């Protein structure tokens, strides 16, 4: 899609899914970013974090993950940087609050299986409230989570949605920078 979706396009995108952005099997996956679920805008365009005002792409660049600001339409470049994107819940909604706790918990199971297949160095989940519900950690805060003996390091990032106004772009970029620094310390495959 080359133009902004119309209101009709957005409504038609309700409950639509968009594919994950992942490197080919066996390729290095330094960080797997996990959103809560696609917005209607993202589902209408087919691009993750596509809604104007979402700070994911600027934060990704400002934190040093990418050498320039990528547009959502360039999401397919991410595997070349050892990065990927998925969502806890695949279906698109106008707001994450439309998701049920059962959907988030089922998403955690799906995400665990995806991580087992792709072996990211770090799993970075954008949205602490969704993380708390999905993984049963009601007191979790943003930042690194307690280590898991069997999985990657887990990091909870602030939700980059423009609706999450109490987090500034600079603060989100700082949180992303901490993940980048940690990812740079994770050794690649032998």
């Amino acid at each position: 899609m080359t133009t902004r979706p119309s209101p009709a396009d957005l409504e038609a995108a309700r409950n639509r899914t968009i594919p994950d952005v992942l490197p080919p099997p066996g390729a290095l996956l330094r960080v797997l970013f996990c959103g809560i679920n696609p917005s209607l805008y993202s589902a209408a365009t087919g691009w993750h974090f596509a809604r104007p005002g979402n700070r994911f792409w600027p934060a990704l660049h400002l934190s040093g993950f990418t050498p320039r600001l990528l547009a959502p339409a360039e999401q397919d470049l991410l595997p070349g940087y050892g990065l990927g994107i998925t969502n806890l819940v695949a279906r698109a909604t106008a707001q994450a609050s439309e998701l049920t706790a059962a959907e988030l918990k089922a998403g955690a199971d799906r995400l665990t299986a995806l991580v087992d297949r792709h072996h990211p160095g770090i799993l970075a989940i954008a949205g602490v409230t969704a993380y708390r519900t999905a993984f049963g950690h009601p007191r979790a805060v943003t930042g690194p989570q307690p280590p898991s003996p069997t999985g990657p390091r887990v990091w909870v990032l602030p939700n980059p949605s423009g609706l999450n106004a109490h987090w500034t772009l600079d603060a989100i970029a700082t949180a992303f920078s901490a993940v980048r620094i940690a990812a740079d310390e994770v050794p690649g495959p032998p």
Side-chain angles (χ1 to χ4, degrees):
M1 176 169 282
T2 58
T3 61
R4 286 183 167 221
S6 69
D9 294 330
L10 295 176
E11 191 51 41
R14 188 172 295 280
N15 296 319
R16 193 178 292 166
T17 63
I18 58 177
D20 294 337
V21 175
L22 296 167
L28 177 65
L29 180 55
R30 294 172 54 223
V31 180
L32 176 60
F33 290 96
C34 180
I36 299 168
N37 74 309
S39 68
L40 297 181
Y41 200 102
S42 285
T45 63
W47 306 320
H48 292 269
F49 301 104
R51 184 170 184 73
N54 192 297
R55 283 95 36 104
F56 176 82
W57 298 100
L60 200 66
H61 171 61
L62 291 172
S63 64
F65 274 113
T66 59
R68 65 175 177 84
L69 177 60
L70 299 178
E74 296 177 293
Q75 68 184 14
D76 291 337
L77 296 176
L78 291 180
Y81 298 112
L83 307 174
I85 303 177
T86 190
N87 287 291
L88 271 171
V89 176
R91 77 178 182 98
T93 60
Q95 295 184 9
S97 62
E98 296 174 41
L99 302 173
T100 67
E103 284 179 291
L104 291 168
K105 290 174 185 173
D109 293 339
R110 187 196 72 81
L111 183 59
T112 299
L114 184 69
V115 163
D116 287 346
R117 281 193 310 276
H118 289 274
H119 308 286
I122 294 178
L123 172 62
I125 300 173
V128 69
T129 302
Y131 174 80
R132 289 172 181 157
T133 300
F135 290 91
H137 299 295
R139 292 186 179 82
V141 296
T142 57
Q145 301 306 299
S148 163
T150 59
R153 292 186 66 187
V154 175
W155 213 285
V156 177
L157 294 169
N159 183 345
S161 167
L163 299 174
N164 188 9
H166 66 273
W167 279 87
T168 66
L169 174 56
D170 287 342
I172 294 170
T174 298
F176 276 53
S177 290
V179 173
R180 186 195 45 80
I181 291 165
D184 288 347
E185 296 169 354
V186 175

